[in-house]
CSV table of all heavy atoms in Angstrom, one decimal:
chain,number,residue,atom,x,y,z
G,459,PHE,N,18.4,15.9,7.0
G,459,PHE,CA,19.1,14.7,7.4
G,459,PHE,C,18.3,13.5,7.0
G,459,PHE,O,17.1,13.6,6.7
G,459,PHE,CB,19.4,14.7,8.9
G,459,PHE,CG,20.5,13.8,9.3
G,459,PHE,CD1,21.8,13.9,8.7
G,459,PHE,CD2,20.4,13.0,10.4
G,459,PHE,CE1,22.8,13.1,9.1
G,459,PHE,CE2,21.4,12.2,10.8
G,459,PHE,CZ,22.6,12.2,10.1
G,460,VAL,N,18.8,12.3,7.1
G,460,VAL,CA,18.1,11.0,7.0
G,460,VAL,C,18.1,10.4,8.4
G,460,VAL,O,19.1,10.0,8.9
G,460,VAL,CB,18.8,10.1,6.0
G,460,VAL,CG1,18.1,8.7,6.0
G,460,VAL,CG2,18.8,10.7,4.6
G,461,TYR,N,16.8,10.3,8.9
G,461,TYR,CA,16.6,9.7,10.2
G,461,TYR,C,16.1,8.2,10.0
G,461,TYR,O,15.4,7.9,9.0
G,461,TYR,CB,15.7,10.5,11.0
G,461,TYR,CG,16.2,11.9,11.4
G,461,TYR,CD1,15.8,13.0,10.6
G,461,TYR,CD2,17.0,12.1,12.4
G,461,TYR,CE1,16.3,14.2,10.8
G,461,TYR,CE2,17.5,13.4,12.7
G,461,TYR,CZ,17.1,14.4,11.9
G,461,TYR,OH,17.6,15.7,12.2
G,462,ARG,N,16.3,7.4,11.0
G,462,ARG,CA,15.6,6.1,11.1
G,462,ARG,C,14.5,6.3,12.2
G,462,ARG,O,14.8,6.6,13.4
G,462,ARG,CB,16.6,5.0,11.6
G,462,ARG,CG,16.1,3.6,11.6
G,462,ARG,CD,15.7,3.1,10.3
G,462,ARG,NE,15.4,1.7,10.3
G,462,ARG,CZ,14.9,1.0,9.3
G,462,ARG,NH1,14.7,1.6,8.2
G,462,ARG,NH2,14.6,-0.3,9.4
G,463,VAL,N,13.3,6.2,11.7
G,463,VAL,CA,12.2,6.6,12.6
G,463,VAL,C,11.2,5.4,12.8
G,463,VAL,O,11.2,4.4,12.0
G,463,VAL,CB,11.4,7.8,12.0
G,463,VAL,CG1,12.3,9.0,11.9
G,463,VAL,CG2,10.7,7.4,10.7
G,464,HIS,N,10.5,5.4,13.9
G,464,HIS,CA,9.5,4.3,14.2
G,464,HIS,C,8.3,5.0,14.9
G,464,HIS,O,8.5,5.6,16.0
G,464,HIS,CB,10.2,3.3,15.1
G,464,HIS,CG,9.4,2.1,15.4
G,464,HIS,ND1,9.4,1.5,16.6
G,464,HIS,CD2,8.6,1.4,14.6
G,464,HIS,CE1,8.6,0.4,16.5
G,464,HIS,NE2,8.1,0.4,15.3
G,465,GLU,N,7.2,4.8,14.3
G,465,GLU,CA,6.0,5.4,14.9
G,465,GLU,C,5.4,4.6,16.0
G,465,GLU,O,5.6,3.4,16.0
G,465,GLU,CB,4.9,5.6,13.8
G,465,GLU,CG,5.3,6.5,12.6
G,465,GLU,CD,4.2,6.5,11.5
G,465,GLU,OE1,3.2,7.0,11.8
G,465,GLU,OE2,4.5,5.9,10.5
G,466,ALA,N,4.7,5.2,16.9
G,466,ALA,CA,4.0,4.6,18.0
G,466,ALA,C,2.9,3.7,17.5
G,466,ALA,O,2.3,4.1,16.4
G,466,ALA,CB,3.5,5.6,19.1
G,467,PRO,N,2.5,2.6,18.1
G,467,PRO,CA,1.4,1.8,17.6
G,467,PRO,C,0.1,2.5,17.8
G,467,PRO,O,-0.1,3.3,18.7
G,467,PRO,CB,1.5,0.5,18.4
G,467,PRO,CG,2.2,0.9,19.7
G,467,PRO,CD,3.1,2.1,19.3
G,468,ASN,N,-0.9,2.0,17.0
G,468,ASN,CA,-2.3,2.5,17.2
G,468,ASN,C,-2.9,1.9,18.5
G,468,ASN,O,-2.6,0.7,18.8
G,468,ASN,CB,-3.2,2.1,16.0
G,468,ASN,CG,-2.7,2.8,14.7
G,468,ASN,OD1,-2.2,3.9,14.8
G,468,ASN,ND2,-2.9,2.1,13.6
G,469,GLU,N,-3.7,2.6,19.2
G,469,GLU,CA,-4.3,2.2,20.4
G,469,GLU,C,-5.2,0.9,20.1
G,469,GLU,O,-5.3,0.0,20.9
G,469,GLU,CB,-5.2,3.3,21.0
G,469,GLU,CG,-5.7,2.9,22.4
G,469,GLU,CD,-6.4,4.0,23.1
G,469,GLU,OE1,-6.1,5.2,22.7
G,469,GLU,OE2,-7.2,3.8,24.0
G,470,GLU,N,-5.9,1.0,19.0
G,470,GLU,CA,-6.8,-0.1,18.6
G,470,GLU,C,-6.1,-1.4,18.4
G,470,GLU,O,-6.5,-2.5,18.9
G,470,GLU,CB,-7.6,0.2,17.3
G,470,GLU,CG,-8.6,-0.8,16.9
G,470,GLU,CD,-9.3,-0.5,15.6
G,470,GLU,OE1,-9.1,0.7,15.1
G,470,GLU,OE2,-10.0,-1.3,15.0
G,471,ASN,N,-4.9,-1.4,17.8
G,471,ASN,CA,-4.1,-2.6,17.6
G,471,ASN,C,-3.6,-3.1,18.9
G,471,ASN,O,-3.5,-4.3,19.1
G,471,ASN,CB,-2.9,-2.3,16.6
G,471,ASN,CG,-3.3,-2.0,15.2
G,471,ASN,OD1,-4.4,-2.3,14.8
G,471,ASN,ND2,-2.5,-1.3,14.4
G,472,VAL,N,-3.1,-2.2,19.8
G,472,VAL,CA,-2.6,-2.7,21.1
G,472,VAL,C,-3.8,-3.3,21.9
G,472,VAL,O,-3.6,-4.3,22.5
G,472,VAL,CB,-2.0,-1.5,21.8
G,472,VAL,CG1,-1.6,-2.0,23.2
G,472,VAL,CG2,-0.8,-1.0,21.1
G,473,THR,N,-4.9,-2.7,21.8
G,473,THR,CA,-6.1,-3.2,22.5
G,473,THR,C,-6.4,-4.6,22.0
G,473,THR,O,-6.7,-5.6,22.8
G,473,THR,CB,-7.3,-2.3,22.3
G,473,THR,OG1,-7.0,-1.0,22.9
G,473,THR,CG2,-8.5,-2.9,23.1
G,474,ASP,N,-6.4,-4.8,20.7
G,474,ASP,CA,-6.7,-6.2,20.1
G,474,ASP,C,-5.6,-7.2,20.6
G,474,ASP,O,-6.0,-8.3,20.9
G,474,ASP,CB,-6.6,-6.1,18.6
G,474,ASP,CG,-7.8,-5.3,18.0
G,474,ASP,OD1,-8.8,-5.2,18.8
G,474,ASP,OD2,-7.8,-5.0,16.9
G,475,PHE,N,-4.4,-6.8,20.7
G,475,PHE,CA,-3.3,-7.7,21.2
G,475,PHE,C,-3.5,-8.0,22.6
G,475,PHE,O,-3.4,-9.2,23.0
G,475,PHE,CB,-1.9,-7.0,21.0
G,475,PHE,CG,-0.8,-7.9,21.4
G,475,PHE,CD1,-0.5,-9.1,20.8
G,475,PHE,CD2,0.0,-7.5,22.5
G,475,PHE,CE1,0.6,-9.9,21.2
G,475,PHE,CE2,1.0,-8.3,23.0
G,475,PHE,CZ,1.3,-9.5,22.3
Side-chain angles (χ1 to χ4, degrees):
F459 204 50
V460 174
Y461 296 96
R462 183 69 171 171
V463 300
H464 186 217
E465 298 175 71
N468 295 328
E469 186 173 342
E470 182 181 351
N471 290 341
V472 175
T473 300
D474 290 344
F475 179 69

